[in-house]
Amino acid sequence: MEDKQKEAAARSKLFGVGRRKSAVAQVKLTDKAAEKIVNGEKFEEYFTTVDMQKIALAPMDLTSTAEQYGMTVKVKGGGKHAQADAVRHGLARALLAANAEWRIQLKSNGMLTRDARVKERKKPGLKRARRAPQFSKR
């Protein structure tokens, strides 16, 4: 009885939040290997290009866990490419929760690093963040 509770508790902790620019992805790993769902859609339907699919699933390919885990993802903000990168970051964090020995592999490939480049805010008196109004002498 206690073993089942421990297994259920361990499975519920396979969760990771990934971010890139303004995109945020909440990734939950599941036992169903064939199940890959993003925002209620199939993974291949949400990320239509092969490049974005490779980016998002890179941590699973690196750790050879594509047949072991499935995933359910909620992602919002940013564009599709930033969302794919956010899914990659969240997936790497979730896999790290599953097995801490993968940290060296994931970190050396840059999958645990958050891309913090966000658009700079507009400043008062300027047209954009740094663009000043054109000077007119007369």
Side-chain angles (χ1 to χ4, degrees), residues 3-36:
D3 291 336
K4 289 182 181 180
Q5 289 175 342
K6 286 181 183 178
E7 286 179 28
R11 272 189 240 111
S12 67
K13 292 180 183 177
L14 300 180
F15 180 80
V17 177
R19 295 182 181 91
R20 182 187 193 266
K21 291 188 172 183
S22 60
V24 179
Q26 298 174 345
V27 179
K28 184 178 180 185
L29 292 179
T30 60
D31 290 338
K32 300 171 189 163
E35 184 180 88
K36 289 180 176 53

PDB file of all heavy atoms in Angstrom, residues 3-36:
ATOM      1  N   ASP A   3       3.986   1.476  -0.958  1.00  0.00           N
ATOM      2  CA  ASP A   3       4.768   1.553  -2.191  1.00  0.00           C
ATOM      3  C   ASP A   3       3.980   2.246  -3.298  1.00  0.00           C
ATOM      4  O   ASP A   3       4.525   3.047  -4.053  1.00  0.00           O
ATOM      5  CB  ASP A   3       5.176   0.156  -2.658  1.00  0.00           C
ATOM      6  CG  ASP A   3       6.189  -0.485  -1.720  1.00  0.00           C
ATOM      7  OD1 ASP A   3       6.891   0.279  -1.026  1.00  0.00           O
ATOM      8  OD2 ASP A   3       6.252  -1.719  -1.676  1.00  0.00           O
ATOM      9  N   LYS A   4       2.686   1.934  -3.405  1.00  0.00           N
ATOM     10  CA  LYS A   4       1.847   2.566  -4.426  1.00  0.00           C
ATOM     11  C   LYS A   4       1.721   4.058  -4.176  1.00  0.00           C
ATOM     12  O   LYS A   4       1.721   4.858  -5.099  1.00  0.00           O
ATOM     13  CB  LYS A   4       0.468   1.915  -4.465  1.00  0.00           C
ATOM     14  CG  LYS A   4       0.489   0.523  -5.031  1.00  0.00           C
ATOM     15  CD  LYS A   4      -0.894  -0.058  -5.100  1.00  0.00           C
ATOM     16  CE  LYS A   4      -0.865  -1.473  -5.654  1.00  0.00           C
ATOM     17  NZ  LYS A   4      -2.197  -2.078  -5.729  1.00  0.00           N
ATOM     18  N   GLN A   5       1.613   4.453  -2.916  1.00  0.00           N
ATOM     19  CA  GLN A   5       1.514   5.872  -2.586  1.00  0.00           C
ATOM     20  C   GLN A   5       2.814   6.592  -2.913  1.00  0.00           C
ATOM     21  O   GLN A   5       2.804   7.710  -3.413  1.00  0.00           O
ATOM     22  CB  GLN A   5       1.166   6.050  -1.107  1.00  0.00           C
ATOM     23  CG  GLN A   5      -0.251   5.648  -0.759  1.00  0.00           C
ATOM     24  CD  GLN A   5      -0.512   5.730   0.737  1.00  0.00           C
ATOM     25  OE1 GLN A   5       0.414   5.768   1.530  1.00  0.00           O
ATOM     26  NE2 GLN A   5      -1.792   5.751   1.099  1.00  0.00           N
ATOM     27  N   LYS A   6       3.947   5.941  -2.640  1.00  0.00           N
ATOM     28  CA  LYS A   6       5.239   6.549  -2.951  1.00  0.00           C
ATOM     29  C   LYS A   6       5.415   6.707  -4.463  1.00  0.00           C
ATOM     30  O   LYS A   6       5.916   7.723  -4.931  1.00  0.00           O
ATOM     31  CB  LYS A   6       6.371   5.699  -2.379  1.00  0.00           C
ATOM     32  CG  LYS A   6       6.509   5.813  -0.880  1.00  0.00           C
ATOM     33  CD  LYS A   6       7.657   4.967  -0.381  1.00  0.00           C
ATOM     34  CE  LYS A   6       7.750   5.012   1.137  1.00  0.00           C
ATOM     35  NZ  LYS A   6       8.831   4.146   1.636  1.00  0.00           N
ATOM     36  N   GLU A   7       5.002   5.685  -5.220  1.00  0.00           N
ATOM     37  CA  GLU A   7       5.101   5.763  -6.674  1.00  0.00           C
ATOM     38  C   GLU A   7       4.224   6.872  -7.227  1.00  0.00           C
ATOM     39  O   GLU A   7       4.630   7.615  -8.114  1.00  0.00           O
ATOM     40  CB  GLU A   7       4.704   4.434  -7.314  1.00  0.00           C
ATOM     41  CG  GLU A   7       5.746   3.347  -7.160  1.00  0.00           C
ATOM     42  CD  GLU A   7       5.299   2.046  -7.791  1.00  0.00           C
ATOM     43  OE1 GLU A   7       4.510   2.093  -8.762  1.00  0.00           O
ATOM     44  OE2 GLU A   7       5.747   0.986  -7.324  1.00  0.00           O
ATOM     45  N   ALA A   8       3.010   6.996  -6.697  1.00  0.00           N
ATOM     46  CA  ALA A   8       2.092   8.042  -7.146  1.00  0.00           C
ATOM     47  C   ALA A   8       2.642   9.424  -6.797  1.00  0.00           C
ATOM     48  O   ALA A   8       2.553  10.362  -7.600  1.00  0.00           O
ATOM     49  CB  ALA A   8       0.719   7.849  -6.510  1.00  0.00           C
ATOM     50  N   ALA A   9       3.238   9.552  -5.628  1.00  0.00           N
ATOM     51  CA  ALA A   9       3.828  10.827  -5.226  1.00  0.00           C
ATOM     52  C   ALA A   9       5.029  11.174  -6.102  1.00  0.00           C
ATOM     53  O   ALA A   9       5.225  12.331  -6.488  1.00  0.00           O
ATOM     54  CB  ALA A   9       4.252  10.770  -3.759  1.00  0.00           C
ATOM     55  N   ALA A  10       5.823  10.171  -6.447  1.00  0.00           N
ATOM     56  CA  ALA A  10       6.987  10.404  -7.310  1.00  0.00           C
ATOM     57  C   ALA A  10       6.555  10.825  -8.704  1.00  0.00           C
ATOM     58  O   ALA A  10       7.146  11.715  -9.319  1.00  0.00           O
ATOM     59  CB  ALA A  10       7.851   9.157  -7.376  1.00  0.00           C
ATOM     60  N   ARG A  11       5.498  10.187  -9.224  1.00  0.00           N
ATOM     61  CA  ARG A  11       4.996  10.535 -10.557  1.00  0.00           C
ATOM     62  C   ARG A  11       4.410  11.934 -10.581  1.00  0.00           C
ATOM     63  O   ARG A  11       4.529  12.643 -11.568  1.00  0.00           O
ATOM     64  CB  ARG A  11       3.945   9.528 -11.021  1.00  0.00           C
ATOM     65  CG  ARG A  11       4.548   8.361 -11.740  1.00  0.00           C
ATOM     66  CD  ARG A  11       3.493   7.493 -12.390  1.00  0.00           C
ATOM     67  NE  ARG A  11       3.586   6.164 -11.839  1.00  0.00           N
ATOM     68  CZ  ARG A  11       2.689   5.599 -11.049  1.00  0.00           C
ATOM     69  NH1 ARG A  11       1.604   6.229 -10.729  1.00  0.00           N
ATOM     70  NH2 ARG A  11       2.866   4.396 -10.579  1.00  0.00           N
ATOM     71  N   SER A  12       3.772  12.354  -9.482  1.00  0.00           N
ATOM     72  CA  SER A  12       3.142  13.670  -9.462  1.00  0.00           C
ATOM     73  C   SER A  12       4.172  14.789  -9.417  1.00  0.00           C
ATOM     74  O   SER A  12       3.873  15.925  -9.725  1.00  0.00           O
ATOM     75  CB  SER A  12       2.197  13.788  -8.266  1.00  0.00           C
ATOM     76  OG  SER A  12       2.945  13.770  -7.063  1.00  0.00           O
ATOM     77  N   LYS A  13       5.421  14.457  -9.062  1.00  0.00           N
ATOM     78  CA  LYS A  13       6.472  15.467  -8.984  1.00  0.00           C
ATOM     79  C   LYS A  13       7.204  15.651 -10.305  1.00  0.00           C
ATOM     80  O   LYS A  13       8.123  16.453 -10.395  1.00  0.00           O
ATOM     81  CB  LYS A  13       7.466  15.100  -7.885  1.00  0.00           C
ATOM     82  CG  LYS A  13       6.866  15.195  -6.506  1.00  0.00           C
ATOM     83  CD  LYS A  13       7.867  14.830  -5.459  1.00  0.00           C
ATOM     84  CE  LYS A  13       7.208  14.861  -4.095  1.00  0.00           C
ATOM     85  NZ  LYS A  13       8.129  14.437  -3.041  1.00  0.00           N
ATOM     86  N   LEU A  14       6.838  14.907 -11.326  1.00  0.00           N
ATOM     87  CA  LEU A  14       7.485  15.038 -12.622  1.00  0.00           C
ATOM     88  C   LEU A  14       6.865  16.217 -13.364  1.00  0.00           C
ATOM     89  O   LEU A  14       6.074  16.069 -14.293  1.00  0.00           O
ATOM     90  CB  LEU A  14       7.352  13.751 -13.433  1.00  0.00           C
ATOM     91  CG  LEU A  14       7.971  12.515 -12.796  1.00  0.00           C
ATOM     92  CD1 LEU A  14       7.784  11.310 -13.685  1.00  0.00           C
ATOM     93  CD2 LEU A  14       9.431  12.732 -12.497  1.00  0.00           C
ATOM     94  N   PHE A  15       7.234  17.418 -12.928  1.00  0.00           N
ATOM     95  CA  PHE A  15       6.636  18.645 -13.410  1.00  0.00           C
ATOM     96  C   PHE A  15       7.740  19.678 -13.595  1.00  0.00           C
ATOM     97  O   PHE A  15       8.683  19.726 -12.815  1.00  0.00           O
ATOM     98  CB  PHE A  15       5.613  19.134 -12.379  1.00  0.00           C
ATOM     99  CG  PHE A  15       4.922  20.404 -12.756  1.00  0.00           C
ATOM    100  CD1 PHE A  15       3.875  20.387 -13.654  1.00  0.00           C
ATOM    101  CD2 PHE A  15       5.325  21.613 -12.215  1.00  0.00           C
ATOM    102  CE1 PHE A  15       3.242  21.554 -14.010  1.00  0.00           C
ATOM    103  CE2 PHE A  15       4.699  22.783 -12.570  1.00  0.00           C
ATOM    104  CZ  PHE A  15       3.653  22.765 -13.470  1.00  0.00           C
ATOM    105  N   GLY A  16       7.649  20.474 -14.636  1.00  0.00           N
ATOM    106  CA  GLY A  16       8.647  21.511 -14.862  1.00  0.00           C
ATOM    107  C   GLY A  16       8.038  22.715 -15.559  1.00  0.00           C
ATOM    108  O   GLY A  16       7.172  22.572 -16.415  1.00  0.00           O
ATOM    109  N   VAL A  17       8.495  23.886 -15.185  1.00  0.00           N
ATOM    110  CA  VAL A  17       8.055  25.124 -15.822  1.00  0.00           C
ATOM    111  C   VAL A  17       9.206  25.650 -16.657  1.00  0.00           C
ATOM    112  O   VAL A  17      10.322  25.795 -16.164  1.00  0.00           O
ATOM    113  CB  VAL A  17       7.628  26.173 -14.777  1.00  0.00           C
ATOM    114  CG1 VAL A  17       7.253  27.483 -15.454  1.00  0.00           C
ATOM    115  CG2 VAL A  17       6.466  25.672 -13.958  1.00  0.00           C
ATOM    116  N   GLY A  18       8.923  25.906 -17.929  1.00  0.00           N
ATOM    117  CA  GLY A  18       9.939  26.435 -18.828  1.00  0.00           C
ATOM    118  C   GLY A  18       9.544  27.805 -19.325  1.00  0.00           C
ATOM    119  O   GLY A  18       8.366  28.093 -19.514  1.00  0.00           O
ATOM    120  N   ARG A  19      10.545  28.670 -19.519  1.00  0.00           N
ATOM    121  CA  ARG A  19      10.266  30.026 -19.980  1.00  0.00           C
ATOM    122  C   ARG A  19      11.263  30.432 -21.053  1.00  0.00           C
ATOM    123  O   ARG A  19      12.424  30.049 -21.010  1.00  0.00           O
ATOM    124  CB  ARG A  19      10.370  31.005 -18.818  1.00  0.00           C
ATOM    125  CG  ARG A  19       9.331  30.798 -17.762  1.00  0.00           C
ATOM    126  CD  ARG A  19       9.470  31.845 -16.667  1.00  0.00           C
ATOM    127  NE  ARG A  19       8.476  31.625 -15.634  1.00  0.00           N
ATOM    128  CZ  ARG A  19       8.661  30.883 -14.562  1.00  0.00           C
ATOM    129  NH1 ARG A  19       9.815  30.274 -14.384  1.00  0.00           N
ATOM    130  NH2 ARG A  19       7.710  30.745 -13.670  1.00  0.00           N
ATOM    131  N   ARG A  20      10.796  31.239 -21.991  1.00  0.00           N
ATOM    132  CA  ARG A  20      11.660  31.903 -22.958  1.00  0.00           C
ATOM    133  C   ARG A  20      10.949  33.163 -23.408  1.00  0.00           C
ATOM    134  O   ARG A  20       9.804  33.110 -23.834  1.00  0.00           O
ATOM    135  CB  ARG A  20      11.947  31.038 -24.172  1.00  0.00           C
ATOM    136  CG  ARG A  20      12.892  31.766 -25.137  1.00  0.00           C
ATOM    137  CD  ARG A  20      13.086  31.031 -26.438  1.00  0.00           C
ATOM    138  NE  ARG A  20      14.203  31.586 -27.159  1.00  0.00           N
ATOM    139  CZ  ARG A  20      14.077  32.530 -28.098  1.00  0.00           C
ATOM    140  NH1 ARG A  20      12.893  33.016 -28.396  1.00  0.00           N
ATOM    141  NH2 ARG A  20      15.143  32.989 -28.719  1.00  0.00           N
ATOM    142  N   LYS A  21      11.625  34.289 -23.310  1.00  0.00           N
ATOM    143  CA  LYS A  21      11.030  35.597 -23.583  1.00  0.00           C
ATOM    144  C   LYS A  21       9.719  35.695 -22.811  1.00  0.00           C
ATOM    145  O   LYS A  21       9.727  35.606 -21.589  1.00  0.00           O
ATOM    146  CB  LYS A  21      10.855  35.817 -25.079  1.00  0.00           C
ATOM    147  CG  LYS A  21      12.158  35.975 -25.831  1.00  0.00           C
ATOM    148  CD  LYS A  21      11.901  36.392 -27.259  1.00  0.00           C
ATOM    149  CE  LYS A  21      13.174  36.745 -27.965  1.00  0.00           C
ATOM    150  NZ  LYS A  21      12.925  37.226 -29.321  1.00  0.00           N
ATOM    151  N   SER A  22       8.582  35.856 -23.492  1.00  0.00           N
ATOM    152  CA  SER A  22       7.315  35.966 -22.757  1.00  0.00           C
ATOM    153  C   SER A  22       6.497  34.673 -22.810  1.00  0.00           C
ATOM    154  O   SER A  22       5.349  34.646 -22.375  1.00  0.00           O
ATOM    155  CB  SER A  22       6.483  37.133 -23.308  1.00  0.00           C
ATOM    156  OG  SER A  22       6.205  36.915 -24.669  1.00  0.00           O
ATOM    157  N   ALA A  23       7.070  33.596 -23.330  1.00  0.00           N
ATOM    158  CA  ALA A  23       6.376  32.307 -23.402  1.00  0.00           C
ATOM    159  C   ALA A  23       6.632  31.511 -22.123  1.00  0.00           C
ATOM    160  O   ALA A  23       7.746  31.467 -21.624  1.00  0.00           O
ATOM    161  CB  ALA A  23       6.861  31.505 -24.601  1.00  0.00           C
ATOM    162  N   VAL A  24       5.567  30.903 -21.600  1.00  0.00           N
ATOM    163  CA  VAL A  24       5.660  30.092 -20.388  1.00  0.00           C
ATOM    164  C   VAL A  24       4.996  28.748 -20.664  1.00  0.00           C
ATOM    165  O   VAL A  24       3.864  28.690 -21.140  1.00  0.00           O
ATOM    166  CB  VAL A  24       4.950  30.778 -19.196  1.00  0.00           C
ATOM    167  CG1 VAL A  24       5.045  29.919 -17.958  1.00  0.00           C
ATOM    168  CG2 VAL A  24       5.539  32.151 -18.934  1.00  0.00           C
ATOM    169  N   ALA A  25       5.713  27.660 -20.348  1.00  0.00           N
ATOM    170  CA  ALA A  25       5.188  26.310 -20.565  1.00  0.00           C
ATOM    171  C   ALA A  25       5.196  25.539 -19.253  1.00  0.00           C
ATOM    172  O   ALA A  25       6.199  25.514 -18.549  1.00  0.00           O
ATOM    173  CB  ALA A  25       6.032  25.577 -21.596  1.00  0.00           C
ATOM    174  N   GLN A  26       4.063  24.923 -18.943  1.00  0.00           N
ATOM    175  CA  GLN A  26       3.944  24.047 -17.777  1.00  0.00           C
ATOM    176  C   GLN A  26       3.904  22.620 -18.305  1.00  0.00           C
ATOM    177  O   GLN A  26       2.957  22.224 -18.967  1.00  0.00           O
ATOM    178  CB  GLN A  26       2.667  24.350 -16.999  1.00  0.00           C
ATOM    179  CG  GLN A  26       2.625  25.753 -16.445  1.00  0.00           C
ATOM    180  CD  GLN A  26       1.285  26.068 -15.804  1.00  0.00           C
ATOM    181  OE1 GLN A  26       0.307  25.365 -16.012  1.00  0.00           O
ATOM    182  NE2 GLN A  26       1.257  27.136 -15.033  1.00  0.00           N
ATOM    183  N   VAL A  27       4.951  21.854 -18.002  1.00  0.00           N
ATOM    184  CA  VAL A  27       5.115  20.505 -18.552  1.00  0.00           C
ATOM    185  C   VAL A  27       4.926  19.482 -17.439  1.00  0.00           C
ATOM    186  O   VAL A  27       5.540  19.585 -16.389  1.00  0.00           O
ATOM    187  CB  VAL A  27       6.517  20.335 -19.183  1.00  0.00           C
ATOM    188  CG1 VAL A  27       6.677  18.932 -19.735  1.00  0.00           C
ATOM    189  CG2 VAL A  27       6.755  21.372 -20.247  1.00  0.00           C
ATOM    190  N   LYS A  28       4.076  18.487 -17.701  1.00  0.00           N
ATOM    191  CA  LYS A  28       3.861  17.392 -16.760  1.00  0.00           C
ATOM    192  C   LYS A  28       4.136  16.087 -17.493  1.00  0.00           C
ATOM    193  O   LYS A  28       3.531  15.818 -18.530  1.00  0.00           O
ATOM    194  CB  LYS A  28       2.427  17.420 -16.241  1.00  0.00           C
ATOM    195  CG  LYS A  28       2.156  16.387 -15.190  1.00  0.00           C
ATOM    196  CD  LYS A  28       0.735  16.495 -14.669  1.00  0.00           C
ATOM    197  CE  LYS A  28       0.467  15.457 -13.630  1.00  0.00           C
ATOM    198  NZ  LYS A  28      -0.920  15.460 -13.187  1.00  0.00           N
ATOM    199  N   LEU A  29       5.063  15.304 -16.974  1.00  0.00           N
ATOM    200  CA  LEU A  29       5.382  14.012 -17.575  1.00  0.00           C
ATOM    201  C   LEU A  29       4.391  12.956 -17.103  1.00  0.00           C
ATOM    202  O   LEU A  29       4.003  12.946 -15.935  1.00  0.00           O
ATOM    203  CB  LEU A  29       6.798  13.576 -17.204  1.00  0.00           C
ATOM    204  CG  LEU A  29       7.946  14.392 -17.789  1.00  0.00           C
ATOM    205  CD1 LEU A  29       9.266  13.835 -17.311  1.00  0.00           C
ATOM    206  CD2 LEU A  29       7.899  14.414 -19.289  1.00  0.00           C
ATOM    207  N   THR A  30       3.991  12.066 -18.012  1.00  0.00           N
ATOM    208  CA  THR A  30       3.057  10.991 -17.693  1.00  0.00           C
ATOM    209  C   THR A  30       3.682   9.652 -18.058  1.00  0.00           C
ATOM    210  O   THR A  30       4.701   9.599 -18.742  1.00  0.00           O
ATOM    211  CB  THR A  30       1.729  11.173 -18.460  1.00  0.00           C
ATOM    212  OG1 THR A  30       2.004  11.146 -19.863  1.00  0.00           O
ATOM    213  CG2 THR A  30       1.047  12.474 -18.104  1.00  0.00           C
ATOM    214  N   ASP A  31       3.059   8.576 -17.603  1.00  0.00           N
ATOM    215  CA  ASP A  31       3.546   7.230 -17.900  1.00  0.00           C
ATOM    216  C   ASP A  31       3.170   6.777 -19.302  1.00  0.00           C
ATOM    217  O   ASP A  31       3.775   5.860 -19.837  1.00  0.00           O
ATOM    218  CB  ASP A  31       2.994   6.223 -16.886  1.00  0.00           C
ATOM    219  CG  ASP A  31       3.605   6.421 -15.517  1.00  0.00           C
ATOM    220  OD1 ASP A  31       4.707   7.000 -15.448  1.00  0.00           O
ATOM    221  OD2 ASP A  31       2.994   5.995 -14.528  1.00  0.00           O
ATOM    222  N   LYS A  32       2.153   7.384 -19.889  1.00  0.00           N
ATOM    223  CA  LYS A  32       1.691   6.982 -21.215  1.00  0.00           C
ATOM    224  C   LYS A  32       2.640   7.550 -22.262  1.00  0.00           C
ATOM    225  O   LYS A  32       2.610   8.730 -22.575  1.00  0.00           O
ATOM    226  CB  LYS A  32       0.277   7.505 -21.449  1.00  0.00           C
ATOM    227  CG  LYS A  32      -0.712   6.980 -20.427  1.00  0.00           C
ATOM    228  CD  LYS A  32      -2.034   7.685 -20.562  1.00  0.00           C
ATOM    229  CE  LYS A  32      -2.944   7.321 -19.397  1.00  0.00           C
ATOM    230  NZ  LYS A  32      -4.048   8.219 -19.234  1.00  0.00           N
ATOM    231  N   ALA A  33       3.497   6.696 -22.810  1.00  0.00           N
ATOM    232  CA  ALA A  33       4.557   7.146 -23.707  1.00  0.00           C
ATOM    233  C   ALA A  33       4.020   7.737 -25.010  1.00  0.00           C
ATOM    234  O   ALA A  33       4.614   8.645 -25.568  1.00  0.00           O
ATOM    235  CB  ALA A  33       5.499   5.991 -24.018  1.00  0.00           C
ATOM    236  N   ALA A  34       2.915   7.231 -25.500  1.00  0.00           N
ATOM    237  CA  ALA A  34       2.390   7.698 -26.784  1.00  0.00           C
ATOM    238  C   ALA A  34       1.656   9.034 -26.651  1.00  0.00           C
ATOM    239  O   ALA A  34       1.403   9.697 -27.647  1.00  0.00           O
ATOM    240  CB  ALA A  34       1.446   6.655 -27.367  1.00  0.00           C
ATOM    241  N   GLU A  35       1.321   9.428 -25.434  1.00  0.00           N
ATOM    242  CA  GLU A  35       0.506  10.624 -25.222  1.00  0.00           C
ATOM    243  C   GLU A  35       1.385  11.872 -25.125  1.00  0.00           C
ATOM    244  O   GLU A  35       2.112  12.061 -24.166  1.00  0.00           O
ATOM    245  CB  GLU A  35      -0.316  10.459 -23.941  1.00  0.00           C
ATOM    246  CG  GLU A  35      -1.265  11.596 -23.675  1.00  0.00           C
ATOM    247  CD  GLU A  35      -2.045  11.364 -22.398  1.00  0.00           C
ATOM    248  OE1 GLU A  35      -1.544  11.753 -21.330  1.00  0.00           O
ATOM    249  OE2 GLU A  35      -3.129  10.800 -22.484  1.00  0.00           O
ATOM    250  N   LYS A  36       1.312  12.718 -26.142  1.00  0.00           N
ATOM    251  CA  LYS A  36       2.003  14.007 -26.131  1.00  0.00           C
ATOM    252  C   LYS A  36       0.975  15.059 -26.523  1.00  0.00           C
ATOM    253  O   LYS A  36       0.608  15.166 -27.695  1.00  0.00           O
ATOM    254  CB  LYS A  36       3.188  13.984 -27.090  1.00  0.00           C
ATOM    255  CG  LYS A  36       4.328  13.120 -26.600  1.00  0.00           C
ATOM    256  CD  LYS A  36       5.472  13.110 -27.569  1.00  0.00           C
ATOM    257  CE  LYS A  36       6.667  12.344 -27.077  1.00  0.00           C
ATOM    258  NZ  LYS A  36       6.445  11.003 -26.631  1.00  0.00           N
TER     259      LYS A  36
END
